[in-house]
Amino acid sequence: MKELSNVISAIDDFVWGPVMLVLLVGTGIYLTFRTRFLTWRNLGYALKSTLSKEARTKSRGEGDVSPFSALTTALAATIGTGNIVGVATAMVSGGPGALVWMWISAAFGLTSKFSECMLAIKYREVNEKGEMSGGPMYTMKKGIKNKKLGAVLAWLFAFFAVVASFGIGNMTQGNSISGALKATFNVPTWLSGIIITVLALLIIVGGIKSISKVSSVVVPVMAIFYVICGLIVIIGNISNLPAGLAMIFKMAFSVKAVGGGMCGTIVASMMNAMRYGVARGVFSNEAGMGSAAITAAAATTDNPVRQGYINMTGTFWDTIVVCTITGLAIASSGVLGMTDAGGDYLTGSDITIAAFKTVLGTGGGWLVTIGITLFAFSTILGWEYHGEKAFEYLLGTHRFNMIYRVIFSLVAYIGCTQTLSLVWNFSDIANALMAIPNLICMLLLSGEIASDIKKFQPEIKGNR
């Protein structure tokens, strides 16, 4: 078992190594240039559309859920433990400068997210039940000119999406919830497992409409709640913020930086900051992975580009807003480089809890635990839909979707009650392998993306 664990760990390190990160960010950079920076230039329009009343209705075009619900269901899957635990891990392993590289990868990730979502709506289908089915697998099958290549890429993407849904989207999230509740409130893991399984089953059995109803309430509420608590921590430590920010930028670009003062004594190079910042940023916002595109395909819209812009803002909300709040709370609180009773550096959720405690006391620890629980549970809901649609594609029918929903809910119990280093690594690999066909597809269809976004531009100008 230990040998298998070592092999899986080595494969995980390789697939998430420099080649994968260059491919992910490189695709985003290429698409941003190819679309003449329109995703950046129209970010204001995209944010305005997301927050408009019209986005909450199904008045324009065809689909299963409103444009806002499609975005919040996709956000449910992405705003998760990566925003609390991932940011903290990146700042310990890569130094505070990792936060800057998170921002840089998110800036180019906007175009990747726009492209995969826009294409998913363009090539979606209506299944026998009258529901929308879409995502990168349908884009590959119908959009790539070489049909054999398209079919192979589509099958690979769907297969890895199903595997990832059980791992990164389910078991690892359940494990984070039960671990946090046990550490803070001493709730037995088996009890957390039963509660999560029952709640998940009640919501998931209703399909996308039920999931999106819960997501469109839970996601905005939990994100606003977490952001407000984070801002209170930052304001409480405001005198340290300038030094913290200076250290973040200094350590993002210096060849070998030694953090001092507010950031603790952490030694990290620019390469380390880049590696952990980009990896954790992508892990958090999933731009380029193709997962959000599956949910985007359920949106009611009359133009794929319009919904592409709305879904693109997911990367902004996830990384530029929520991850930044965590990062600045940690940088201004002076907890980086702190050690626990055993002399080990604080990392993961421990460091975020320590940061929140500097201003909010014991309540800070409770708030982070509640945040992890809500974020991770909503991730389970969002990923169920991703996995279900990929499962439907592999079998060529929607008839077995209910079986998938029940099994998926039961697997959450295993996640809550088992140790999971093996599952973490395995699902991490599936996540990376799912991204590769999606990135190839976007590069092959980059001309089409550039053409469609350009054609929509007069409508944006008319709205100004």
Side-chain angles (χ1 to χ4, degrees), residues 100-178:
V100 174
W101 290 100
M102 270 190 165
W103 295 333
I104 292 168
S105 73
F108 292 107
L110 281 173
T111 318
S112 301
K113 185 71 69 92
F114 165 84
S115 303
E116 61 199 14
C117 293
M118 187 273 283
L119 289 169
I121 297 154
K122 188 174 181 178
Y123 290 107
R124 65 187 178 178
E125 295 176 358
V126 179
N127 69 13
E128 299 153 31
K129 217 173 157 189
E131 295 172 337
M132 292 294 176
S133 291
M137 54 277 193
Y138 292 91
T139 304
M140 292 160 194
K141 182 179 84 168
K142 295 162 79 175
I144 294 174
K145 288 191 173 64
N146 183 328
K147 293 300 166 199
K148 194 173 267 186
L149 174 66
V152 171
L153 289 176
W155 191 90
L156 287 171
F157 175 87
F159 175 74
F160 289 123
V162 170
V163 175
S165 75
F166 283 106
I168 219 87
N170 184 337
M171 285 199 269
T172 51
Q173 304 300 329
N175 196 250
S176 296
I177 295 171
S178 63

Side-chain angles (χ1 to χ4, degrees), residues 96-101 103 242-254 328:
L99 192 60
V100 174
W101 290 100
W103 295 333
L245 276 170
M247 193 61 74
I248 285 169
F249 283 101
K250 185 179 156 195
M251 291 184 75
F253 302 107
S254 49
L328 293 181

Side-chain angles (χ1 to χ4, degrees), residues 120-349:
I121 297 154
K122 188 174 181 178
Y123 290 107
R124 65 187 178 178
E125 295 176 358
V126 179
N127 69 13
E128 299 153 31
K129 217 173 157 189
E131 295 172 337
M132 292 294 176
S133 291
M137 54 277 193
Y138 292 91
T139 304
M140 292 160 194
K141 182 179 84 168
K142 295 162 79 175
I144 294 174
K145 288 191 173 64
N146 183 328
K147 293 300 166 199
K148 194 173 267 186
L149 174 66
V152 171
L153 289 176
W155 191 90
L156 287 171
F157 175 87
F159 175 74
F160 289 123
V162 170
V163 175
S165 75
F166 283 106
I168 219 87
N170 184 337
M171 285 199 269
T172 51
Q173 304 300 329
N175 196 250
S176 296
I177 295 171
S178 63
L181 291 175
K182 188 164 183 5
T184 309
F185 302 115
N186 212 17
V187 179
T189 52
W190 62 266
L191 183 59
S192 299
I194 290 170
I195 293 167
I196 288 160
T197 302
V198 171
L199 281 176
L201 200 54
L202 288 171
I203 298 164
I204 287 165
V205 163
I208 181 64
K209 288 177 181 168
S210 167
I211 292 170
S212 74
K213 260 184 201 160
V214 175
S215 299
S216 59
V217 175
V218 173
V219 173
V221 168
M222 73 180 185
I224 291 165
F225 166 75
Y226 182 74
V227 165
I228 290 169
C229 294
L231 285 171
I232 291 168
V233 173
I234 294 164
I235 292 162
N237 292 315
I238 197 82
S239 58
N240 304 329
L241 190 60
L245 276 170
M247 193 61 74
I248 285 169
F249 283 101
K250 185 179 156 195
M251 291 184 75
F253 302 107
S254 49
V255 184
K256 183 165 187 182
V258 180
M262 288 325 304
C263 290
T265 318
I266 287 183
V267 181
S269 67
M270 174 178 155
M271 289 310 293
N272 242 13
M274 194 189 297
R275 185 193 154 198
Y276 284 99
V278 171
R280 290 294 147 202
V282 167
F283 180 81
S284 173
N285 61 48
E286 294 179 14
M289 311 297 290
S291 47
I294 299 173
T295 314
T300 301
T301 188
D302 61 345
N303 191 307
V305 176
R306 191 189 312 282
Q307 186 63 29
Y309 275 124
I310 288 175
N311 265 83
M312 164 186 101
T313 64
T315 300
F316 174 85
W317 300 118
D318 177 279
T319 309
I320 307 295
V321 178
V322 184
C323 287
T324 299
I325 293 289
T326 304
L328 293 181
I330 291 169
S332 63
S333 60
V335 295
L336 269 180
M338 272 175 63
T339 54
D340 59 18
D344 295 319
Y345 278 129
L346 289 181
T347 187
S349 56

